[in-house]
Amino acid sequence: MYNETVMEHFTNPRNVGEIEDADGIGEVGSPQCGDIMKIFLKVEDNIIKDIKFKTFGCASAIASSSIMTDMVKGKTIEEALALTNKDVVDALGGLPKPKVHCSVLAEEAIRSAIEDYKKKMK
Ligand code: FES
C-alpha cells in the first residue's frame, strides 16, 4: 500500500520529539479520523532553526510529519507558510488516495505553529 519513501519515514521518522522553550507550537486534529499532530518551532532571524513533532496518527501522518519537518527546517517563515499538502505528498512520492487527508495535517500543523509564533512575537 505504501511506497518505500513513506515506509522509510514511517519506520525512521526525522525530528520526533518536543522543544521545551519553543517559539511556536501548533496542534491540529483531523476531522476525518481524529488523529493529532503537534509541531514545535525554534525561530531565529525569521529562519526555522529547529522543528520537532509529535504525531498520534497513522503511518501516513507520521511519514508526512517527518518529511514536512525536514522540508521546512532552515527555511524562512514565508517559505514554510507556502508549503502545501501536495508538496508533502509529492516529496513522499505519493500517498494512497484515502490517505491524502493525512498530509493535510502536516500543512495545517506547520501553519498553526507559525501563527502561534507570530502571536508570541507581538
Ligand atoms: Fe488519520 Fe491518517 S488516518 S491522519
Side-chain angles (χ1 to χ4, degrees):
M1 172 173 178
Y2 291 122
N3 69 39
E4 252 173 51
T5 311
V6 176
M7 283 311 291
E8 209 276 309
H9 275 272
F10 171 54
T11 50
N12 179 28
R14 329 298 196 255
N15 309 308
V16 176
E18 286 183 35
I19 300 174
E20 261 183 33
D21 55 342
D23 298 317
I25 299 175
E27 184 173 332
V28 292
S30 169
Q32 279 98 330
C33 63
D35 290 346
I36 292 169
M37 192 180 290
K38 199 166 179 183
I39 299 287
F40 303 82
L41 291 181
K42 242 1 223 175
V43 183
E44 249 177 67
D45 298 332
N46 203 45
I47 304 277
I48 298 178
K49 284 284 173 192
D50 199 11
I51 179 163
K52 296 257 188 265
F53 80 87
K54 275 190 151 177
T55 293
F56 304 93
C58 70
S60 307
I62 290 167
S64 296
S65 328
S66 170
I67 208 156
M68 178 276 281
T69 54
D70 259 359
M71 288 163 90
V72 301
K73 206 175 194 174
K75 297 273 162 57
T76 65
I77 291 292
E78 292 71 31
E79 285 167 335
L81 276 175
L83 186 100
T84 66
N85 82 299
K86 186 175 179 305
D87 297 328
V88 172
V89 173
D90 287 348
L92 285 171
L95 279 175
K97 251 221 168 102
K99 288 286 174 184
V100 170
H101 79 267
C102 317
S103 67
V104 174
L105 275 183
E107 176 188 321
E108 289 177 351
I110 181 67
R111 289 195 179 167
S112 151
I114 290 173
E115 259 170 46
D116 184 53
Y117 162 72
K118 285 185 170 171
K119 252 186 246 154
K120 286 180 174 146
M121 288 289 289
K122 277 182 191 156

